[in-house]
């Protein structure tokens, strides 16, 4: 028949495929794609909600709602409307923990929207009794700080992030969600600020605070790989700030950590690239050339499918050091 010759509509095909996905697979794809296509991912959230069959899945979907609505779209009202749908899901099953988690997600959007008193009251009424009351505050404040930063409000981002750090003075442990949230928010904010084409002094200070906080809390909530990458992030942060001596110190630590035999070649390469750039920045060209040789050797051990991620940076380092004298 004639319709059999029509080209496939890729968007319709993708929608049909996603409607048949298990929830975990759907959510993983949504997180993977949201950075490049936040609006498209947000409009597909109702499909993800259809995949929810257990109350514990709803807070995980709410985290995506809050992140995309606030940080990427800057539209907390749309996020709250989507949370309304989650509140009405049959999967919720009047589960107390899931219901409270959805309320905490709403509090984050309220705080981001400037409804501070409403957010505080909602948060305190729905704190997770498994953790100190400050834990929920740390999570919320760290979450909204990255949203403020992504929307260009660095004063509010700094205020929220420093408040989150202050609230963590009770020293949350490795299983407390506050620890991981500080690490993730710090890392994400530092990355975004490093990539900014222009940075004000306020942005530079926030970038450094974010990277240092990520390093501190990955040591609590993460593993050796998390810590290695956080130290690499610190080196790149200080490279972006043009603070060569500090960047060099962190890059040297990263390279030492990357010497562990089970370190992936790509992670070792990141540490070496940071070291080479720091050596160039402080003017130690002899050491930079030696590091460049290490970079080339490590790059050859990176699986071919991942090499394109590093090609430009490797070439830039080689160009910076120039030929051997």
């Amino acid at each position: 028949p004639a319709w059999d010759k029509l080209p496939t509509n890729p968007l319709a095909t993708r929608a049909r495929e996603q409607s048949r996905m298990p929830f975990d697979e759907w959510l993983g794809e949504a997180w993977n794609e949201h950075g490049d296509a936040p609006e498209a991912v947000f409009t597909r959230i109702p499909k993800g909600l259809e995949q929810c069959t257990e109350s514990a899945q709803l807070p995980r979907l709410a985290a995506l709602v809050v992140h995309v609505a606030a940080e990427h779209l800057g539209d907390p009202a749309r996020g709250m409307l989507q949370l309304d749908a989650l509140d009405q899901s049959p999967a919720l099953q009047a589960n107390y923990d899931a219901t409270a988690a959805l309320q905490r997600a709403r509090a984050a959007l309220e705080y981001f929207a400037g409804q501070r008193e409403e957010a505080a009251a909602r948060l305190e009424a729905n704190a997770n009794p498994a953790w100190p009351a400050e834990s929920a505050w740390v999570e919320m404040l760290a979450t909204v700080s990255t949203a403020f930063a992504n929307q260009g409000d660095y004063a509010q981002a700094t205020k929220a992030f420093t408040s989150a750090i202050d609230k963590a003075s009770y020293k949350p442990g490795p299983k407390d969600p506050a620890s991981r949230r500080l690490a993730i928010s710090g890392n994400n904010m530092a990355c975004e600020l490093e990539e900014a084409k222009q940075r004000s002094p306020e942005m530079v200070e926030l970038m450094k605070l974010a990277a240092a906080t990520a390093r501190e809390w990955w040591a609590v909530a993460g593993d050796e790989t998390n810590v290695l990458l956080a130290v690499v992030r610190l080196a790149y942060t200080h490279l972006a700030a043009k603070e060569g001596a500090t960047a060099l110190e962190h890059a040297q630590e990263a390279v030492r950590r990357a010497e562990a035999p089970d370190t992936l070649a790509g992670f070792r390469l990141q540490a070496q690239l940071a070291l080479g750039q720091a050596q160039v920045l402080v003017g130690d060209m002899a050491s930079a050339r030696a590091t460049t040789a290490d970079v080339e050797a490590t790059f050859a051990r990176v699986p071919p499918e991942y090499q394109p991620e590093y090609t430009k940076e490797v070439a830039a380092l080689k160009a910076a050091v120039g030929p051997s004298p």
Side-chain angles (χ1 to χ4, degrees):
W3 55 261
D4 207 25
K5 306 298 182 186
L6 293 175
T8 301
N9 181 332
L11 294 178
T13 300
R14 183 54 170 272
R16 286 194 297 272
E17 289 174 350
Q18 288 206 331
S19 70
R20 296 191 294 268
M21 280 184 185
F23 175 76
D24 286 351
E25 184 179 350
W26 184 94
L27 188 63
E29 284 205 3
W31 277 112
N32 288 338
E33 296 172 6
H34 84 279
D36 294 327
E39 179 64 41
V41 167
F42 194 82
T43 58
R44 294 204 306 265
I45 285 173
K47 290 292 184 183
L49 182 55
E50 291 177 7
Q51 309 305 316
C52 289
T53 59
E54 303 172 8
S55 59
Q57 293 170 331
L58 291 168
R60 296 167 59 200
L61 184 57
L64 178 68
V65 171
V66 171
H67 178 81
V68 177
E71 187 163 336
H72 292 276
L73 302 180
D75 193 344
R78 285 180 69 190
M80 290 185 203
L81 286 174
Q82 190 59 69
L83 290 180
D84 288 342
L86 271 64
D87 284 334
Q88 299 302 315
S89 171
L92 191 56
Q93 300 171 357
N95 180 277
Y96 172 81
D97 290 340
T99 300
L102 294 184
Q103 291 299 307
R104 293 195 296 273
R106 187 177 296 274
L109 290 176
E110 288 175 334
Y111 192 97
F112 180 68
Q115 301 167 17
R116 305 296 163 78
E117 292 184 4
E118 294 90 333
R122 191 180 304 277
L123 193 70
E124 291 174 4
N126 293 278
N128 187 336
W131 308 109
E134 292 85 355
S135 178
W137 275 99
V138 172
E139 279 200 276
M140 183 186 75
L141 290 165
T143 295
V144 299
S145 68
T146 59
F148 284 129
N150 215 43
Q151 295 301 314
D153 191 341
Y154 300 109
Q156 286 293 337
T158 300
K159 183 177 180 180
F161 197 61
T162 53
S163 294
I165 294 169
D166 291 343
K167 292 282 188 183
S169 61
Y170 72 96
K171 299 189 183 304
K175 294 184 179 181
D176 188 326
S179 301
R180 188 172 182 86
R181 175 45 53 193
L182 281 169
I184 292 173
S185 292
N187 177 76
N188 291 353
M189 195 150 41
C191 287
E192 291 292 334
L193 290 166
E194 283 171 31
E195 293 172 2
K197 293 181 179 179
Q198 293 182 323
R199 284 180 295 273
S200 66
E202 176 186 43
M203 293 167 67
V204 171
E205 291 306 309
L206 179 57
M207 176 178 67
K208 293 191 293 185
L209 174 65
T213 301
R215 165 66 176 87
E216 177 183 357
W217 290 100
W218 275 129
V220 175
D223 57 21
E224 287 300 320
T225 297
N226 294 132
V227 175
L228 165 62
L229 295 179
V231 176
V232 172
R233 175 92 287 118
L234 261 176
Y236 276 107
T237 289
H238 287 279
L239 283 168
K242 304 300 183 186
E243 297 176 353
T246 306
L248 181 61
E249 178 183 344
H250 292 305
Q252 288 169 334
E253 180 190 350
V255 168
R256 288 195 299 271
R257 288 181 173 276
E259 290 172 355
D262 58 346
T263 301
L264 294 177
F267 296 161
R268 182 175 290 116
L269 181 62
Q270 290 180 42
Q272 292 170 338
L273 284 165
L275 178 61
Q277 292 179 45
Q279 290 165 334
V280 169
L281 187 58
V282 300
D284 186 356
M285 301 308 291
S287 295
R289 290 190 184 93
T291 299
T292 302
D294 293 336
V295 163
E296 291 181 298
T298 303
F299 180 76
R301 293 194 291 273
V302 173
E305 63 268 29
Y306 296 117
Q307 288 184 354
E309 297 179 22
Y310 305 106
T311 301
K312 184 182 293 186
E313 200 170 349
V314 170
L317 179 61
K318 291 171 68 176
V321 300
S324 300

